Amino acid sequence: MTLLANIPKQGDFASTAALNSDLAFKGKYAYAGNYNGFVIYDISKPSKPTIVSQVLCPGSQNDISISGNLLFLSTDSSRSDNSCQSVAKPVTDPTAWEGIKIFDISDPANPQYVKAVETDCGSHTHTLVPGKGVDRNSVYVYVSSYLLGDTSVGADCKYPFDQITIIKVPTKNPTGAAVVAEPVLFPDGGNPGGGSTTYPTTGCHDLTVYPDKDLMAGACMGDGALFDVSNPAKPKLIDVVRDTVNFAFWHSASFNNKANKIVFTDELGGGGAATCNPTIGPNRGANAIYDIVGHGKKAELKFRSYYKISRANADTENCVAHNGSLIPVKGKDIMVQAWYQGGISVWDFTNSRKPYEIGFFERGPLSDTQMITGGSWSAYYYNGYIYSNDIQKGLDVLQIRDKRTDPARWIKLKELNVQTQPNYFD
C-alpha cells in the first residue's frame, strides 16, 4: 500500500478539536465531513487532489452522504438553531436543535444550504435509502441516534429510546423534506446491557442498507441486527444477535456483495482509547463476521470468527475497529478498513472462519507522551483508490497493488455512499 497524496486540514478545520469524520463520493469529487462542516475535494487526479470548497457549519459529527445534487449532513450536538452560525446550547433546553441539514451541491464550488429537519436525539449517523417505483423521485434518510448516559437526555430525547427517524426527501423539491416515520426497531427494548462490558440498546449507531437485496444491517449498541427494508418506511426485524463476552458497542456493519455475510465492528472505548494491545487481546475492539443462513423471514445470523489487526499499538494511540468498505473483487470478500491510529487494513474474509490481512498502512502515534484523538476515521475504496479521512492529518489517497485486489480497479461508480451499499456484480 502506497500513500499517493495528503491534503492537511486547513482554515477553520485546522485545529486539533476539528475532527475529520465520514466520506462520500460523486463523480470526480470526494465529500469529507468534519465537526466544523465539510470539505469538497476534486479527485480527478487522485495523486494530486485539490480543495474545491470548505463549508463552515459546526455540529458534530457532520457525517455526510450524497444523492444526486443533494448533500446530507448529520448534526449530533445540541445547537442554538439549525443555521450554520449556531452555537452550542444545553441539551436540556427545549429550544435546542439537532438533526439533518440538506445542501444543494450542483455547484461544488458554492454549496447552498437548502433545508433542515429536526430529529429526536439528533443525528449521529444517517443512511440513504433510494425510493422505488412511484417513490423513485424520493430518497429516504434513516437517522441513527442513541442515548449514551444521562448527558444525552434532553427534552425530546429520553429513555427508553430504541427507534430511528425516517425522513422522506423529494429529490426535485428538497424543501419538502419531512419526517414520515419513527419506527421502534426493537419492540422488546433491545439488549438491556450488562456490567461494564455491553452497552444497553438505546438506539442504533449505524445502519447499512443493501437496496438491491432489500436488506439492512444494524449496529445498535448492544445488538447486531438484520432487517427487511422492502418497504423503506417500515423496516422489519428479521434476526438479532448479541455478544456479551467480547462486544461492547456494536458500531457499524457491512455486507459482502452476495449479502450472505455481515461484518460488524465493535467500537470498544468509543474510539478514544488504546485497545489494539496485548492487554485487550484479539477478540475485543474487533470485527465479528456472521454468515446469513437461510432466506427471507427465516434468515439467521451465525457467528463465524473475529478479525483484528495483529500489530500492537502504543498506549498513546486510539485504535479500534472503525469504518470501511468492500474492495470489489468478484468471487472474493475483501475490505479496506480504518482503525484510527491503528492505520488502514486491507483484509480478506472470503472464508468466514479464517480472515487474514493482505496489506496495511499506518503512520505511528501522534504523540509518544499523551493521547491525541487521531488516525483514519473512514477508509473507503472508490474507483481504483483508497480514500481516508484522517482525523488530524486530513485527506489521504492511497493505492494498493496486489494480484488479489487488482481486479477491483476496473470497477467504476458514479456515486458512493458506503452505508448505501451498491451491488457490484449481480
Side-chain angles (χ1 to χ4, degrees):
M1 291 177 66
T2 305
L3 179 66
L4 299 180
N6 168 262
I7 298 184
K9 298 192 299 183
Q10 299 176 23
D12 294 313
F13 300 169
S15 75
T16 303
L19 310 182
N20 276 342
S21 57
D22 211 4
L23 290 165
F25 304 89
K26 178 189 174 185
K28 66 176 185 177
Y29 298 104
Y31 301 82
N34 178 284
Y35 276 47
N36 277 352
F38 63 93
V39 185
I40 302 178
Y41 297 93
D42 184 331
I43 55 171
S44 54
K45 295 180 179 179
S47 61
K48 295 181 179 180
T50 59
I51 293 178
V52 177
S53 59
Q54 292 195 159
V55 176
L56 180 63
C57 197
S60 63
Q61 303 185 134
N62 279 338
D63 274 8
I64 199 166
S65 59
I66 305 294
S67 179
N69 287 325
L70 299 179
L71 180 149
F72 299 88
L73 206 62
S74 280
T75 300
D76 191 35
S77 59
S78 189
R79 311 297 299 179
S80 57
D81 55 58
N82 63 11
S83 74
C84 286
Q85 294 75 45
S86 68
V87 296
K89 200 169 193 177
V91 70
T92 52
D93 189 325
T95 66
W97 187 90
E98 298 179 75
I100 290 285
K101 299 186 181 86
I102 305 172
F103 292 79
D104 184 322
I105 51 167
S106 52
D107 179 2
N110 188 29
Q112 298 295 309
Y113 190 0
V114 174
K115 170 81 173 184
V117 180
E118 187 171 14
T119 60
D120 293 346
C121 290
S123 174
H124 194 71
T125 63
H126 68 269
T127 302
L128 300 188
V129 185
K132 298 179 179 180
V134 295
D135 270 347
R136 64 185 179 276
N137 291 323
S138 296
V139 62
Y140 291 84
V141 184
Y142 284 15
V143 176
S144 298
S145 51
Y146 57 88
L147 286 163
L148 193 59
D150 292 339
T151 58
S152 60
V153 176
D156 54 2
C157 182
K158 299 177 181 179
Y159 293 104
F161 189 88
D162 55 7
Q163 68 188 48
I164 63 170
T165 301
I166 300 178
I167 299 170
K168 185 176 181 179
V169 184
T171 53
K172 295 181 179 180
N173 178 32
T175 57
V179 173
V180 294
E182 294 179 317
V184 173
L185 297 185
F186 302 97
D188 65 351
N191 193 336
S196 59
T197 55
T198 302
Y199 278 92
T201 297
T202 56
C204 289
H205 183 279
D206 220 288
L207 301 168
T208 296
V209 297
Y210 198 150
D212 276 10
K213 308 290 187 180
D214 287 331
L215 292 175
M216 179 171 74
C220 301
M221 303 182 72
D223 292 296
L226 178 67
F227 298 90
D228 178 333
V229 290
S230 52
N231 182 342
K234 295 181 179 181
K236 295 180 180 179
L237 182 65
I238 297 173
D239 194 29
V240 63
V241 289
R242 295 173 184 172
D243 182 343
T244 57
V245 176
N246 289 311
F247 257 48
F249 189 90
W250 298 71
H251 175 275
S252 54
S254 301
F255 290 97
N256 66 336
N257 195 71
K258 289 185 178 179
N260 59 10
K261 301 175 187 176
I262 301 176
V263 176
F264 291 103
T265 71
D266 174 20
E267 195 185 42
L268 176 68
T275 69
C276 298
N277 55 39
T279 302
I280 299 299
N283 297 335
R284 300 177 63 215
N287 298 325
I289 304 165
Y290 284 78
D291 284 351
I292 301 174
V293 179
H295 300 280
K297 296 179 181 179
K298 295 183 179 180
E300 295 180 335
L301 296 168
K302 298 292 185 181
F303 172 76
R304 296 302 185 228
S305 66
Y306 298 107
Y307 170 76
K308 188 175 182 180
I309 57 172
S310 58
R311 294 169 295 287
N313 277 229
D315 289 338
T316 57
E317 290 181 285
N318 59 304
C319 174
V320 75
H322 214 238
N323 295 351
S325 77
L326 290 184
I327 295 180
V329 178
K330 194 167 187 177
K332 298 291 185 179
D333 299 324
I334 301 174
M335 277 189 72
V336 58
Q337 187 176 359
W339 289 80
Y340 289 116
Q341 286 193 71
I344 299 166
S345 175
V346 173
W347 61 288
D348 186 308
F349 62 103
T350 306
N351 184 336
S352 302
R353 290 179 170 86
K354 294 183 178 180
Y356 68 93
E357 188 169 63
I358 293 174
F360 71 92
F361 167 82
E362 68 165 305
R363 288 189 166 94
L366 287 167
S367 171
D368 293 326
T369 59
Q370 62 177 318
M371 175 69 76
I372 300 173
T373 300
S376 179
W377 178 291
S378 297
Y380 298 149
Y381 189 89
Y382 178 69
N383 292 355
Y385 297 87
I386 294 167
Y387 296 88
S388 168
N389 210 17
D390 188 287
I391 293 168
Q392 300 298 348
K393 296 291 187 179
L395 181 74
D396 288 328
V397 185
L398 302 100
Q399 189 172 41
I400 183 168
R401 290 292 182 90
D402 188 282
K403 64 182 181 180
R404 291 163 289 188
T405 59
D406 285 348
R409 288 184 293 164
W410 304 108
I411 303 296
K412 303 297 182 182
L413 300 178
K414 295 181 179 179
E415 189 174 280
L416 177 63
N417 300 296
V418 168
Q419 290 76 27
T420 306
Q421 199 161 317
N423 188 339
Y424 288 103
F425 302 114
D426 295 346

